Amino acid sequence: MADVIATSASEAGCLKDGVKTVVIAFDGSDNAKHAMKFYADTVHTPKDNVIVVYCVELGEVITTAHFSVDQEAFKELIQRESDKIKNKLVEFAVYMREIKLNGIVKSTHASTPGLGVINLASEFNADLIVTGSRGQGTLRRTFLGSVSDFILHHSKVPVLVVTLHKNAEDKHRT
């Protein structure tokens, strides 16, 4: 089940026709914050419908549960994880307000975070997906995978991949 937190009352309703819908992949990392801020400062228009998506990884719940027969312990574990997710959504909504973005923060789950972003973008008929990038090298990206790489190669809409530069000199490297 997905949770949604709106940062303004008008954003909690239906999406309006004739307006750009932007999905921002967000996990709270510095890279994700930088990507959202870059979008807010350079691309965002006041009419945009912004949907910040947090992809929940259920791996911890499943591996911690050990498929125990104790239903009460399992319910407790699920409740703790649900509370963590809600707290993250509130934290992300606060960050949105700090950088003057209105929109909704939504959690979703899928087998991978990239697929979760793609599915949500499809669900909301997004016009653009914004994601951060950790700047992994080719070898590391090949073996470990990359959320931004997955989104870039599987999205049916344009994708803005924003990298976080450690210093000003890196900003201008190609």
Side-chain angles (χ1 to χ4, degrees), residues 56-148:
V56 178
E57 295 187 55
L58 298 177
E60 182 181 332
V61 174
I62 292 168
T63 56
T64 308
H66 298 290
F67 299 102
S68 172
V69 183
D70 184 356
Q71 290 182 348
E72 229 17 75
F74 189 71
K75 284 181 186 176
E76 241 179 73
L77 179 64
I78 296 294
Q79 186 59 51
R80 276 196 314 268
E81 290 304 310
S82 179
D83 291 344
K84 282 183 192 177
I85 292 165
K86 287 177 184 172
N87 289 338
K88 282 184 182 268
L89 295 179
V90 169
E91 176 188 325
F92 300 164
V94 166
Y95 181 71
M96 280 182 76
R97 279 188 225 105
E98 285 175 10
I99 63 171
K100 311 286 190 261
L101 275 182
N102 288 322
I104 61 173
V105 180
K106 184 171 177 51
S107 68
T108 188
H109 64 277
S111 56
T112 65
L115 186 59
V117 172
I118 295 288
N119 291 343
L120 193 118
S122 177
E123 177 185 332
F124 282 93
N125 296 312
D127 300 296
L128 175 68
I129 298 174
V130 177
T131 183
S133 174
R134 291 182 295 172
Q136 297 182 67
T138 306
L139 187 63
R140 184 177 179 102
R141 191 172 55 245
T142 301
F143 287 105
L144 297 179
S146 160
V147 174
S148 59

XYZ file of all heavy atoms in Angstrom, residues 56-148:
716
model
N 10.180 2.029 -1.690
C 10.414 1.244 -0.490
C 11.045 -0.084 -0.879
O 10.569 -0.766 -1.777
C 9.087 0.991 0.247
C 9.303 0.133 1.476
C 8.416 2.312 0.598
N 12.116 -0.407 -0.201
C 12.754 -1.707 -0.425
C 12.318 -2.624 0.707
O 12.588 -2.367 1.870
C 14.268 -1.548 -0.470
C 14.712 -0.709 -1.667
C 16.203 -0.670 -1.823
O 16.796 -1.766 -1.900
O 16.750 0.427 -1.864
N 11.628 -3.674 0.357
C 11.071 -4.582 1.355
C 12.043 -5.671 1.774
O 11.716 -6.500 2.593
C 9.780 -5.208 0.825
C 8.672 -4.201 0.522
C 7.471 -4.914 -0.076
C 8.281 -3.425 1.760
N 13.240 -5.641 1.248
C 14.226 -6.662 1.566
C 14.492 -6.816 3.047
O 14.587 -7.921 3.571
N 14.617 -5.682 3.761
C 14.917 -5.744 5.188
C 13.798 -6.429 5.953
O 14.034 -7.228 6.845
C 15.134 -4.327 5.738
C 15.497 -4.314 7.199
C 15.695 -2.910 7.735
O 16.060 -2.013 6.962
O 15.460 -2.732 8.942
N 12.563 -6.138 5.596
C 11.427 -6.752 6.276
C 11.439 -8.255 6.050
O 11.270 -9.046 6.972
C 10.088 -6.147 5.767
C 8.913 -6.890 6.373
C 10.017 -4.682 6.096
N 11.668 -8.656 4.820
C 11.630 -10.077 4.484
C 12.784 -10.832 5.134
O 12.596 -11.884 5.726
C 11.629 -10.268 2.954
C 10.310 -9.746 2.397
C 11.844 -11.723 2.573
C 10.268 -9.611 0.897
N 14.011 -10.272 5.072
C 15.163 -10.982 5.640
C 15.137 -10.973 7.163
O 15.607 -11.903 7.784
C 16.498 -10.392 5.154
O 16.539 -9.006 5.468
C 16.678 -10.600 3.669
N 14.574 -9.943 7.758
C 14.497 -9.888 9.213
C 13.435 -10.836 9.734
O 13.558 -11.397 10.813
C 14.185 -8.452 9.694
O 15.108 -7.566 9.086
C 14.286 -8.323 11.196
N 12.380 -11.047 8.969
C 11.258 -11.855 9.426
C 11.623 -13.330 9.561
O 11.071 -14.021 10.401
C 10.094 -11.706 8.455
N 12.534 -13.812 8.748
C 12.915 -15.230 8.752
C 11.691 -16.129 8.627
O 11.671 -17.243 9.121
C 13.701 -15.604 10.015
C 14.977 -14.859 10.152
N 16.062 -15.074 9.328
C 15.344 -13.873 11.009
C 17.042 -14.264 9.693
N 16.633 -13.520 10.694
N 10.649 -15.579 8.050
C 9.416 -16.319 7.824
C 8.937 -16.996 9.104
O 8.548 -18.148 9.124
C 9.575 -17.307 6.670
C 9.897 -16.596 5.390
C 11.189 -16.576 4.895
C 8.908 -15.906 4.710
C 11.485 -15.899 3.726
C 9.199 -15.223 3.545
C 10.480 -15.223 3.050
N 9.001 -16.265 10.169
C 8.596 -16.750 11.470
C 7.103 -17.061 11.485
O 6.308 -16.424 10.812
C 8.911 -15.676 12.519
O 8.373 -16.049 13.761
N 6.734 -18.011 12.305
C 5.329 -18.372 12.462
C 4.656 -17.398 13.422
O 3.446 -17.296 13.458
C 5.218 -19.826 12.978
C 3.774 -20.258 13.090
C 5.995 -20.770 12.081
N 5.440 -16.666 14.179
C 4.896 -15.722 15.155
C 4.268 -14.532 14.434
O 4.954 -13.590 14.035
C 6.013 -15.269 16.098
C 5.511 -14.362 17.219
O 4.304 -14.028 17.227
O 6.332 -13.999 18.076
N 2.962 -14.580 14.254
C 2.256 -13.536 13.505
C 2.330 -12.182 14.199
O 2.393 -11.153 13.540
C 0.801 -13.939 13.291
C 0.648 -15.079 12.313
C -0.805 -15.432 12.072
O -1.690 -14.976 12.786
N -1.035 -16.254 11.065
N 2.323 -12.176 15.513
C 2.388 -10.912 16.260
C 3.719 -10.211 16.007
O 3.760 -9.002 15.783
C 2.216 -11.199 17.748
C 1.224 -10.404 18.545
C 0.168 -9.619 17.804
O -0.787 -10.189 17.285
O 0.299 -8.376 17.779
N 4.813 -10.957 16.027
C 6.133 -10.378 15.770
C 6.212 -9.850 14.344
O 6.777 -8.783 14.105
C 7.231 -11.415 16.014
N 5.627 -10.576 13.402
C 5.632 -10.140 12.008
C 4.811 -8.863 11.840
O 5.231 -7.926 11.164
C 5.105 -11.251 11.098
C 5.288 -10.943 9.637
C 6.555 -10.956 9.073
C 4.201 -10.627 8.844
C 6.739 -10.663 7.727
C 4.368 -10.331 7.501
C 5.638 -10.354 6.937
N 3.650 -8.790 12.480
C 2.811 -7.579 12.423
C 3.564 -6.388 13.007
O 3.495 -5.285 12.479
C 1.499 -7.788 13.185
C 0.494 -8.625 12.457
C -0.776 -8.758 13.286
C -1.757 -9.707 12.649
N -2.936 -9.903 13.499
N 4.276 -6.622 14.115
C 5.077 -5.567 14.743
C 6.153 -5.059 13.796
O 6.385 -3.848 13.676
C 5.738 -6.115 16.016
C 5.338 -5.394 17.273
C 6.027 -6.033 18.465
O 7.259 -5.844 18.611
O 5.325 -6.706 19.240
N 6.828 -5.984 13.139
C 7.879 -5.641 12.191
C 7.311 -4.808 11.043
O 7.876 -3.777 10.674
C 8.540 -6.913 11.648
C 9.650 -6.734 10.626
C 10.831 -5.994 11.245
C 10.088 -8.086 10.090
N 6.193 -5.215 10.509
C 5.543 -4.477 9.420
C 5.143 -3.082 9.898
O 5.342 -2.093 9.182
C 4.314 -5.249 8.887
C 4.738 -6.570 8.257
C 3.503 -4.400 7.921
C 5.581 -6.425 7.008
N 4.613 -2.969 11.107
C 4.211 -1.665 11.638
C 5.410 -0.742 11.815
O 5.350 0.438 11.479
C 3.466 -1.824 12.970
C 2.900 -0.521 13.501
C 1.931 0.133 12.540
O 1.000 -0.488 12.057
N 2.145 1.413 12.243
N 6.518 -1.290 12.319
C 7.733 -0.474 12.480
C 8.215 0.040 11.131
O 8.591 1.210 10.993
C 8.841 -1.287 13.156
C 8.772 -1.311 14.653
C 10.082 -1.774 15.304
N 10.677 -2.960 14.713
C 10.463 -4.212 15.112
N 9.654 -4.446 16.107
N 11.067 -5.216 14.503
N 8.231 -0.835 10.124
C 8.656 -0.420 8.790
C 7.705 0.620 8.210
O 8.135 1.585 7.587
C 8.772 -1.629 7.853
C 9.926 -2.544 8.182
C 11.263 -1.824 8.189
O 11.577 -1.110 7.219
O 12.013 -1.970 9.175
N 6.418 0.446 8.420
C 5.422 1.403 7.943
C 5.636 2.771 8.595
O 5.573 3.810 7.920
C 4.015 0.880 8.253
O 3.042 1.789 7.832
N 5.936 2.772 9.882
C 6.207 4.031 10.589
C 7.464 4.705 10.047
O 7.505 5.926 9.880
C 6.353 3.787 12.101
C 5.039 3.402 12.763
O 3.962 3.605 12.146
O 5.082 2.880 13.893
N 8.507 3.919 9.758
C 9.739 4.475 9.184
C 9.454 5.140 7.842
O 9.957 6.227 7.549
C 10.790 3.374 8.969
C 11.526 2.931 10.186
C 12.578 1.890 9.767
C 13.173 1.160 10.925
N 14.116 0.117 10.479
N 8.647 4.480 7.025
C 8.307 5.016 5.700
C 7.543 6.329 5.854
O 7.866 7.320 5.185
C 7.490 3.990 4.891
C 8.371 2.788 4.535
C 6.886 4.623 3.639
C 7.600 1.570 4.069
N 6.560 6.361 6.723
C 5.776 7.587 6.929
C 6.671 8.723 7.411
O 6.523 9.863 6.968
C 4.632 7.333 7.902
C 3.527 6.524 7.287
C 2.419 6.219 8.272
C 1.396 5.312 7.615
N 0.395 4.830 8.545
N 7.605 8.421 8.309
C 8.526 9.450 8.800
C 9.408 9.991 7.673
O 9.662 11.194 7.596
C 9.392 8.912 9.935
C 8.605 8.690 11.206
O 7.549 9.282 11.416
N 9.089 7.811 12.056
N 9.856 9.097 6.798
C 10.663 9.547 5.659
C 9.838 10.437 4.737
O 10.325 11.458 4.255
C 11.210 8.357 4.872
C 12.396 7.698 5.522
C 12.947 6.603 4.636
C 14.101 5.916 5.303
N 15.384 6.489 4.971
N 8.587 10.073 4.487
C 7.729 10.882 3.614
C 7.533 12.277 4.189
O 7.573 13.269 3.452
C 6.383 10.192 3.383
C 6.427 8.868 2.630
C 5.027 8.285 2.493
C 7.085 9.007 1.278
N 7.339 12.366 5.482
C 7.198 13.675 6.129
C 8.498 14.467 5.983
O 8.487 15.651 5.637
C 6.801 13.521 7.619
C 6.928 14.846 8.356
C 5.388 12.965 7.737
N 9.629 13.811 6.212
C 10.942 14.453 6.062
C 11.126 14.976 4.630
O 11.600 16.089 4.415
C 12.029 13.429 6.403
C 13.443 13.889 6.205
C 14.434 12.734 6.373
O 14.200 11.844 7.213
O 15.440 12.727 5.648
N 10.737 14.183 3.648
C 10.881 14.584 2.252
C 9.960 15.751 1.918
O 10.338 16.655 1.175
C 10.618 13.410 1.314
C 11.553 12.239 1.506
C 11.232 11.006 0.963
C 12.736 12.348 2.226
C 12.084 9.915 1.117
C 13.589 11.269 2.400
C 13.267 10.044 1.846
N 8.749 15.748 2.470
C 7.804 16.852 2.243
C 8.341 18.145 2.847
O 8.202 19.220 2.253
C 6.433 16.510 2.824
N 8.976 18.052 3.998
C 9.582 19.226 4.633
C 10.675 19.788 3.727
O 10.769 20.999 3.519
C 10.133 18.877 6.040
C 11.047 19.972 6.565
C 8.986 18.610 7.000
N 11.503 18.908 3.164
C 12.558 19.373 2.260
C 11.947 20.063 1.039
O 12.454 21.101 0.598
C 13.475 18.216 1.831
C 14.578 18.698 0.923
C 15.617 19.484 1.423
C 14.566 18.417 -0.435
C 16.620 19.962 0.601
C 15.570 18.895 -1.272
C 16.588 19.658 -0.754
O 17.571 20.138 -1.574
N 10.871 19.499 0.507
C 10.203 20.143 -0.636
C 9.801 21.575 -0.289
O 10.010 22.494 -1.077
C 8.951 19.362 -1.055
C 9.219 18.151 -1.886
S 7.689 17.330 -2.374
C 7.115 18.447 -3.667
N 9.196 21.740 0.873
C 8.767 23.087 1.296
C 9.969 24.018 1.451
O 9.891 25.184 1.104
C 7.989 23.014 2.605
C 6.560 22.625 2.407
C 5.755 22.757 3.693
N 4.935 21.573 3.833
C 5.163 20.581 4.677
N 6.158 20.622 5.525
N 4.375 19.540 4.715
N 11.067 23.494 1.981
C 12.285 24.304 2.171
C 12.781 24.881 0.857
O 13.293 25.998 0.824
C 13.400 23.463 2.805
C 13.225 23.194 4.271
C 14.296 22.259 4.815
O 15.293 21.966 4.100
O 14.142 21.809 5.964
N 12.662 24.117 -0.225
C 13.156 24.610 -1.514
C 12.015 25.177 -2.372
O 12.179 25.364 -3.573
C 13.951 23.526 -2.276
C 13.088 22.325 -2.637
C 15.182 23.124 -1.487
C 13.772 21.345 -3.573
N 10.878 25.433 -1.720
C 9.744 26.126 -2.351
C 9.075 25.323 -3.465
O 8.641 25.886 -4.468
C 10.168 27.501 -2.886
C 10.938 28.360 -1.907
C 10.045 28.933 -0.842
C 10.738 29.965 -0.010
N 11.246 29.539 1.239
N 8.970 24.008 -3.296
C 8.240 23.168 -4.242
C 6.955 22.691 -3.589
O 6.966 22.274 -2.432
C 9.054 21.928 -4.628
C 10.065 22.016 -5.736
C 10.706 20.653 -5.969
C 9.462 22.528 -7.025
N 5.869 22.754 -4.317
C 4.623 22.155 -3.868
C 4.396 20.896 -4.674
O 4.769 20.810 -5.838
C 3.447 23.114 -4.077
C 3.483 24.265 -3.108
O 3.841 24.099 -1.951
N 3.123 25.442 -3.581
N 3.783 19.924 -4.055
C 3.501 18.685 -4.751
C 3.146 17.605 -3.762
O 2.746 17.894 -2.638
N 3.283 16.377 -4.199
C 3.004 15.264 -3.305
C 4.241 14.393 -3.178
O 5.081 14.350 -4.073
C 1.797 14.411 -3.772
C 2.041 13.781 -5.138
C 0.529 15.233 -3.770
C 0.956 12.798 -5.557
N 4.333 13.729 -2.034
C 5.390 12.762 -1.787
C 4.687 11.425 -1.653
O 3.752 11.291 -0.866
C 6.181 13.091 -0.503
C 7.270 12.065 -0.267
C 6.766 14.487 -0.571
N 5.117 10.475 -2.436
C 4.417 9.192 -2.506
C 5.410 8.052 -2.363
O 6.484 8.088 -2.929
C 3.704 9.102 -3.851
C 2.866 7.882 -4.058
C 2.054 8.016 -5.330
C 1.230 6.809 -5.645
N 0.405 6.322 -4.593
N 5.019 7.040 -1.605
C 5.847 5.839 -1.533
C 5.264 4.790 -2.468
O 4.067 4.769 -2.739
C 5.906 5.296 -0.099
O 4.641 4.797 0.296
N 6.134 3.965 -2.966
C 5.724 2.855 -3.808
C 6.715 1.725 -3.580
O 7.744 1.922 -2.947
C 5.686 3.268 -5.302
O 5.095 2.219 -6.068
C 7.059 3.601 -5.833
N 6.394 0.557 -4.062
C 7.346 -0.540 -3.959
C 7.325 -1.332 -5.253
O 6.336 -1.352 -5.973
C 7.050 -1.432 -2.752
C 5.725 -2.126 -2.834
N 4.557 -1.514 -2.464
C 5.391 -3.361 -3.273
C 3.545 -2.343 -2.662
N 4.018 -3.465 -3.151
N 8.448 -1.904 -5.547
C 8.625 -2.727 -6.747
C 9.846 -3.600 -6.488
O 10.520 -3.454 -5.463
C 8.831 -1.848 -7.977
N 10.138 -4.467 -7.432
C 11.296 -5.346 -7.244
C 12.595 -4.560 -7.207
O 13.565 -4.986 -6.586
C 11.340 -6.411 -8.335
O 11.343 -5.808 -9.611
N 12.636 -3.394 -7.885
C 13.801 -2.506 -7.826
C 13.303 -1.069 -7.740
O 12.209 -0.754 -8.213
C 14.695 -2.642 -9.080
O 13.959 -2.180 -10.221
C 15.161 -4.071 -9.286
N 14.099 -0.162 -7.155
C 13.680 1.237 -7.082
C 13.429 1.852 -8.461
O 12.456 2.594 -8.645
C 14.846 1.930 -6.375
C 15.496 0.852 -5.584
C 15.341 -0.398 -6.403
N 14.276 1.523 -9.430
C 14.094 2.075 -10.775
C 12.755 1.695 -11.376
O 12.064 2.514 -11.981
N 12.370 0.447 -11.206
C 11.089 -0.020 -11.718
C 9.937 0.672 -11.003
O 8.928 1.022 -11.623
C 10.984 -1.545 -11.575
C 9.754 -2.197 -12.191
C 9.671 -1.902 -13.694
C 9.777 -3.699 -11.940
N 10.095 0.913 -9.710
C 9.071 1.638 -8.958
C 8.854 3.038 -9.511
O 7.716 3.493 -9.665
N 9.947 3.726 -9.835
C 9.852 5.077 -10.411
C 9.178 5.016 -11.779
O 8.274 5.808 -12.074
C 11.244 5.733 -10.511
C 11.178 7.047 -11.276
C 11.835 5.948 -9.123
N 9.602 4.085 -12.617
C 9.023 3.936 -13.954
C 7.518 3.656 -13.861
O 6.714 4.263 -14.578
C 9.726 2.789 -14.736
C 11.182 3.125 -14.994
C 8.983 2.450 -16.022
C 11.429 4.190 -16.013
N 7.128 2.739 -12.977
C 5.711 2.401 -12.826
C 4.889 3.596 -12.358
O 3.794 3.846 -12.862
C 5.529 1.235 -11.851
C 6.041 -0.073 -12.405
O 6.261 -0.220 -13.603
N 6.264 -1.040 -11.524
N 5.417 4.341 -11.395
C 4.679 5.497 -10.895
C 4.592 6.592 -11.963
O 3.540 7.215 -12.114
C 5.328 6.049 -9.631
C 4.412 7.031 -8.925
C 4.051 6.515 -7.549
C 5.052 8.378 -8.840
N 5.657 6.787 -12.712
C 5.628 7.774 -13.800
C 4.563 7.395 -14.823
O 3.832 8.262 -15.327
C 7.005 7.870 -14.466
N 4.445 6.127 -15.101
C 3.421 5.651 -16.035
C 2.022 5.861 -15.459
O 1.111 6.326 -16.155
C 3.662 4.172 -16.341
O 2.663 3.674 -17.182
N 1.860 5.530 -14.196
C 0.563 5.692 -13.515
C 0.072 7.135 -13.566
O -1.117 7.390 -13.746
C 0.701 5.230 -12.062
C -0.528 5.401 -11.217
C -0.288 5.047 -9.757
O 0.596 4.195 -9.473
O -0.970 5.618 -8.893
N 0.977 8.086 -13.404
C 0.598 9.504 -13.384
C 0.789 10.189 -14.733
O 0.696 11.413 -14.810
C 1.388 10.244 -12.299
C 0.859 10.005 -10.920
C 1.380 8.994 -10.131
C -0.181 10.775 -10.413
C 0.892 8.756 -8.856
C -0.678 10.548 -9.139
C -0.146 9.532 -8.358
N 1.099 9.420 -15.773
C 1.333 9.991 -17.110
C 2.340 11.132 -17.058
O 2.104 12.222 -17.573
C 0.018 10.466 -17.739
C -0.927 9.325 -17.985
O -0.540 8.295 -18.531
N -2.172 9.480 -17.559
N 3.467 10.868 -16.446
C 4.500 11.887 -16.266
C 5.038 12.375 -17.604
O 5.086 11.634 -18.584
C 5.647 11.324 -15.424
N 5.425 13.642 -17.616
C 6.058 14.251 -18.781
C 7.573 14.260 -18.645
O 8.285 14.434 -19.627
C 5.555 15.689 -18.953
C 4.053 15.731 -19.141
O 3.580 15.184 -20.158
O 3.352 16.285 -18.272
N 8.070 14.099 -17.405
C 9.501 14.163 -17.129
C 9.780 13.397 -15.841
O 8.986 13.454 -14.900
C 9.945 15.628 -16.958
C 11.395 15.889 -16.540
C 12.361 15.485 -17.652
C 11.582 17.364 -16.185
N 10.923 12.705 -15.809
C 11.407 12.081 -14.583
C 12.734 12.746 -14.236
O 13.589 12.935 -15.105
C 11.626 10.564 -14.754
C 10.304 9.857 -15.082
C 12.252 9.964 -13.494
C 10.459 8.387 -15.418
N 12.907 13.098 -12.972
C 14.149 13.691 -12.488
C 14.763 12.712 -11.487
O 14.069 12.214 -10.599
C 13.902 15.053 -11.800
C 15.209 15.617 -11.245
C 13.241 16.030 -12.762
N 16.046 12.445 -11.638
C 16.733 11.550 -10.715
C 18.160 12.025 -10.490
O 18.746 12.654 -11.364
C 16.717 10.090 -11.232
O 17.339 9.243 -10.253
C 17.434 9.943 -12.556
N 18.676 11.730 -9.331
C 20.081 12.009 -9.056
C 20.923 10.848 -9.518
O 20.420 9.786 -9.889
N 22.222 11.063 -9.516
C 23.152 10.013 -9.892
C 24.348 10.074 -8.963
O 24.845 11.150 -8.649
C 23.617 10.203 -11.337
O 24.619 9.276 -11.657
N 24.807 8.907 -8.539
C 25.978 8.854 -7.661
C 27.272 8.960 -8.438
O 28.346 9.017 -7.862
C 25.971 7.554 -6.861
C 24.849 7.523 -5.838
C 24.901 6.266 -5.054
N 24.637 5.140 -5.950
C 24.750 3.879 -5.601
N 25.141 3.558 -4.406
N 24.474 2.913 -6.467
N 27.206 8.922 -9.753
C 28.414 9.035 -10.561
C 29.296 7.810 -10.499
O 30.516 7.909 -10.492
N 28.687 6.636 -10.451
C 29.460 5.400 -10.428
C 30.218 5.221 -11.735
O 29.767 5.636 -12.786
C 28.530 4.199 -10.264
C 27.762 4.182 -8.972
C 26.908 2.941 -8.884
O 27.413 1.843 -8.792
N 25.605 3.136 -8.927
N 31.339 4.579 -11.665
C 32.098 4.256 -12.867
C 31.408 3.163 -13.665
O 30.507 2.488 -13.177
N 31.858 2.977 -14.892
C 31.239 2.012 -15.793
C 31.270 0.597 -15.225
O 30.263 -0.117 -15.257
C 31.953 2.034 -17.162
O 31.968 3.371 -17.640
C 31.247 1.148 -18.162
N 32.390 0.177 -14.688
C 32.521 -1.177 -14.162
C 31.572 -1.401 -12.983
O 30.828 -2.379 -12.941
C 33.972 -1.440 -13.744
C 34.306 -2.857 -13.324
C 34.097 -3.812 -14.505
C 35.737 -2.934 -12.836
N 31.584 -0.487 -12.050
C 30.719 -0.605 -10.868
C 29.252 -0.595 -11.274
O 28.446 -1.374 -10.769
C 31.034 0.533 -9.897
C 30.271 0.443 -8.607
C 30.717 1.582 -7.670
N 29.984 1.509 -6.450
C 30.448 1.015 -5.315
N 31.675 0.557 -5.265
N 29.704 0.992 -4.241
N 28.875 0.296 -12.182
C 27.499 0.402 -12.656
C 27.073 -0.889 -13.359
O 25.955 -1.359 -13.206
C 27.350 1.607 -13.576
C 25.934 1.952 -13.915
C 25.828 3.278 -14.666
N 26.652 3.327 -15.864
C 27.677 4.144 -16.039
N 28.016 4.995 -15.099
N 28.365 4.124 -17.153
N 27.992 -1.491 -14.114
C 27.697 -2.729 -14.843
C 27.399 -3.878 -13.884
O 26.442 -4.618 -14.080
C 28.877 -3.108 -15.759
O 29.104 -2.042 -16.666
C 28.589 -4.387 -16.519
N 28.183 -4.015 -12.835
C 28.004 -5.143 -11.930
C 26.975 -4.893 -10.832
O 26.272 -5.805 -10.435
C 29.347 -5.549 -11.302
C 30.229 -6.238 -12.282
C 31.316 -5.591 -12.835
C 29.961 -7.537 -12.686
C 32.134 -6.219 -13.753
C 30.768 -8.181 -13.622
C 31.857 -7.518 -14.154
N 26.889 -3.680 -10.335
C 25.972 -3.393 -9.240
C 24.656 -2.795 -9.705
O 23.681 -2.795 -8.972
C 26.632 -2.429 -8.233
C 27.865 -2.947 -7.531
C 28.415 -1.886 -6.596
C 27.552 -4.224 -6.769
N 24.638 -2.257 -10.902
C 23.425 -1.617 -11.377
C 23.339 -0.195 -10.875
O 24.043 0.212 -9.955
N 22.477 0.571 -11.479
C 22.304 1.960 -11.115
C 20.836 2.317 -11.341
O 20.280 2.007 -12.392
C 23.201 2.822 -12.007
O 22.762 4.159 -12.020
N 20.238 2.936 -10.344
C 18.829 3.335 -10.458
C 18.670 4.326 -11.603
O 17.789 4.168 -12.458
C 18.304 3.927 -9.126
C 16.895 4.466 -9.302
C 18.354 2.878 -8.029
N 19.536 5.341 -11.650
C 19.403 6.348 -12.711
C 19.624 5.730 -14.089
O 18.929 6.077 -15.055
C 20.363 7.516 -12.484
O 21.697 7.078 -12.456
